[in-house]
Every structure is written in C-alpha cells, then in structure tokens.
Amino acid sequence: MDTSLFKKTFLPLSQRLFAAAMRLTGNRQSAEDLVQDTFLKLWTMRDGCDKVTTPSSFATTMLRNTFIDQQRRNRILTDGDTDRAARLDSGTDLMRDTENADSARRITDIIATLPEPSRTIITMRDIEGRSYEEIARLTQLTLVNIRVHLSRARHKVRDAFTRISGERRHA
C-alpha cells in the first residue's frame, strides 16, 4: 500500500481510534500514545494492508491488541509480587498469556471471514464496545436485525473456534 492510499484509508480513523483508546486507558495522554503506537504498527505493515477489507475494524483490533500487549509488558515490568514472579518463572502465566494471544488472533481471523453485515456488527459490538443503538444508527438496521446478526455471528465464531481448537489438539 503506497503512502497516499495509507493516509486516505487509515488517517480518517484517528478520531474513532482515539475514542476507543480513551475507553481503554481512561487517560488522554495514554490514549494519544496508544493511537500513535497503533499507527506506527499499521505503517510498518502497510504492504500487507491491501488485503484488509474493513480498515476500521482492522485498525481498532490492532489498537486493542497493542493496548493488551502494553498492559502485559507493564504488569511484568512493575509487578513486585514474589508469588507472581515465581509463577512467571515456572512459565505458567507466560504460557497462558501466549495461548490467550493465539486464541485472540484466531478469533480475529474467524471474524474476518464472516459475511457482511455480521462481521461489522460483531466487530462494533464485541471489539469496539459500541451500543446497540449506535450500531443501529450506523448500519441503518433495526435492533432486532442487529441482535439476530450478532447472535448468528457469535455462534459461527464459537463453532469455528471450537473446530479449530479441536483440530490443533489432535494434530
């Protein structure tokens, strides 16, 4: 993706990303830093961004994952609890964190395969944390339609995730 297309695709999302970052951090400075880190990650992987079908969902997911990574890093660096340090030394927390990150990535990949408008609705509700009313206003769908799409999308994600997890265990 060239520079002008990147700017046209992702820069208009800055306000939405900032609002999501504010919800996550609760702090203006931290939110600004989080958005900046997210744009930096997007920029470094811009060559692969041509394949992204919903840039706003992709960028929001990237922001959320960046926030989670920062929280984990801060928790490990600042946590002085000796019990926690012992658990980290044993590798159990690190293993669980790795499995959680892998699961989150797989779920994000599954969501990306959903048809519209289910993909947009599950992203807006479960990833971005938008209200049903806001989703209705943005998608021009009724609340009943949104709930139906969301229920079906969650069911498809759950089934696909269970199937993939089962295949990984048996492999």
Side-chain angles (χ1 to χ4, degrees):
M1 178 178 283
D2 69 348
T3 305
S4 63
L5 184 57
F6 179 86
K7 287 179 182 178
K8 196 182 329 179
T9 303
F10 290 105
L11 287 184
L13 303 174
S14 61
Q15 291 299 320
R16 176 180 284 171
L17 292 176
F18 180 75
M22 279 297 291
R23 284 193 303 271
L24 289 170
T25 64
N27 176 304
R28 183 174 187 78
Q29 182 63 44
S30 296
E32 289 172 355
D33 291 344
L34 181 58
V35 171
Q36 183 176 1
D37 290 345
T38 302
F39 272 117
L40 181 61
K41 283 186 178 184
L42 287 167
W43 176 254
T44 58
M45 61 181 298
R46 69 187 176 279
D47 292 333
C49 289
D50 291 334
K51 300 170 189 148
V52 174
T53 56
T54 53
S56 99
S57 298
F58 183 76
T60 304
T61 301
M62 176 91 51
L63 177 111
R64 184 177 167 274
N65 291 341
T66 302
F67 174 74
I68 291 169
D69 290 345
Q70 288 174 351
Q71 293 302 303
R72 286 184 183 142
R73 220 176 8 258
N74 289 341
R75 186 176 61 227
I76 290 170
L77 293 175
T78 61
D79 195 352
D81 182 16
T82 56
D83 290 299
R84 178 148 173 78
R87 285 193 311 270
L88 279 176
D89 288 341
S90 70
T92 56
D93 283 347
L94 186 56
M95 181 61 111
R96 186 175 51 234
D97 288 348
T98 303
E99 288 172 359
N100 288 343
D102 185 49
S103 294
R105 182 191 51 76
R106 281 189 273 154
I107 289 170
T108 303
D109 291 345
I110 293 166
I111 289 172
T113 66
L114 293 173
E116 285 298 332
S118 296
R119 178 178 53 232
T120 299
I121 291 170
I122 197 170
T123 300
M124 292 172 97
R125 180 69 183 158
D126 292 346
I127 295 174
E128 297 174 6
R130 294 177 186 257
S131 69
Y132 287 102
E133 292 76 17
E134 185 178 7
I135 296 169
R137 185 173 40 80
L138 293 170
T139 61
Q140 302 297 311
L141 295 171
T142 66
L143 291 175
V144 172
N145 285 343
I146 290 168
R147 286 187 170 93
V148 168
H149 279 290
L150 187 58
S151 176
R152 290 178 182 166
R154 286 174 176 164
H155 184 74
K156 287 179 182 178
V157 169
R158 189 172 28 254
D159 286 350
F161 183 77
T162 302
R163 188 184 72 250
I164 291 170
S165 297
E167 290 171 2
R168 288 181 49 115
R169 271 187 241 130
H170 296 310

